[in-house]
Amino acid sequence: MQEKGFIGDEEILEILGVPATVIGSREWKELENRGFSIGEDKLLEEILDKKVWSNAEIIWVIKKLIYHYGKKDELLLKAPKERLFMNMLGILRAFFILFDSVNPELDDNIRSYISAKLTDATWGINANTRNYLTKMKE
């Protein structure tokens, strides 16, 4: 509950002309508090059991994916590579739909970051790396 006269994070962003994001929203904070109280694994199970997720839940799950895929620990290395490819394909489909339907206006810095990450991610699908990988197999 917000005290009278207190300006919250969302209001400060609005005053400064900075667009608010899902992270930092009231729903995000409630989700994080819930994760702290019941445990992140339990919260993940609750979200996965839902048919339709809120934006905050989608971002929360993506944040978890980034964390776990970024660790590259032994447990993840035991996962079948076909399953990991299917996971990545699911994420890419979701982002494809999002960008195609919403066509968000993005800051040049964000657009540059996304472009750089996608450039790195295309390793293996462009002609040069496909040729390299084909030669490696032989």
Side-chain angles (χ1 to χ4, degrees):
M1 187 163 154
Q2 192 167 310
E3 294 178 34
K4 188 175 180 177
F6 176 76
I7 298 177
D9 295 340
E10 294 171 34
E11 291 85 3
I12 291 172
L13 290 174
E14 191 175 318
I15 291 169
L16 296 174
V18 177
T21 66
V22 172
I23 295 176
S25 68
R26 209 168 275 118
E27 186 180 8
W28 175 265
K29 290 174 187 172
E30 289 171 4
L31 198 59
E32 282 199 320
N33 288 338
R34 181 141 175 79
F36 292 136
S37 67
I38 66 169
E40 290 190 344
D41 287 337
K42 179 69 176 155
L43 178 58
L44 180 61
E45 286 178 31
E46 287 181 6
I47 294 171
L48 295 177
D49 286 340
K50 293 181 171 185
K51 183 173 177 146
V52 179
W53 302 351
S54 70
N55 287 354
E57 290 168 333
I58 291 170
I59 296 297
W60 191 87
V61 170
I62 290 171
K63 185 178 173 190
K64 293 294 287 180
L65 288 169
I66 291 168
Y67 172 76
H68 285 285
Y69 285 146
K71 282 178 29 178
K72 299 179 217 137
D73 61 1
E74 288 297 316
L75 188 60
L76 193 59
L77 293 174
K78 292 178 183 178
K81 65 182 174 183
E82 294 83 10
R83 180 60 202 207
L84 293 176
F85 277 118
M86 293 306 295
N87 291 357
M88 292 302 114
L89 181 59
I91 294 167
L92 289 172
R93 283 181 175 148
F95 279 113
F96 178 84
I97 291 168
L98 176 70
F99 272 83
D100 186 41
S101 64
V102 175
N103 193 15
E105 283 294 321
L106 299 172
D107 170 271
D108 283 347
N109 292 327
I110 298 292
R111 193 170 297 283
S112 175
Y113 177 81
I114 291 170
S115 299
K117 291 300 176 188
L118 287 174
T119 297
D120 290 345
T122 61
W123 192 94
I125 68 166
N126 65 34
N128 290 339
T129 54
R130 281 197 323 270
N131 188 32
Y132 168 77
L133 291 171
T134 302
K135 288 180 181 178
M136 272 185 55
K137 261 189 168 177
E138 296 168 358

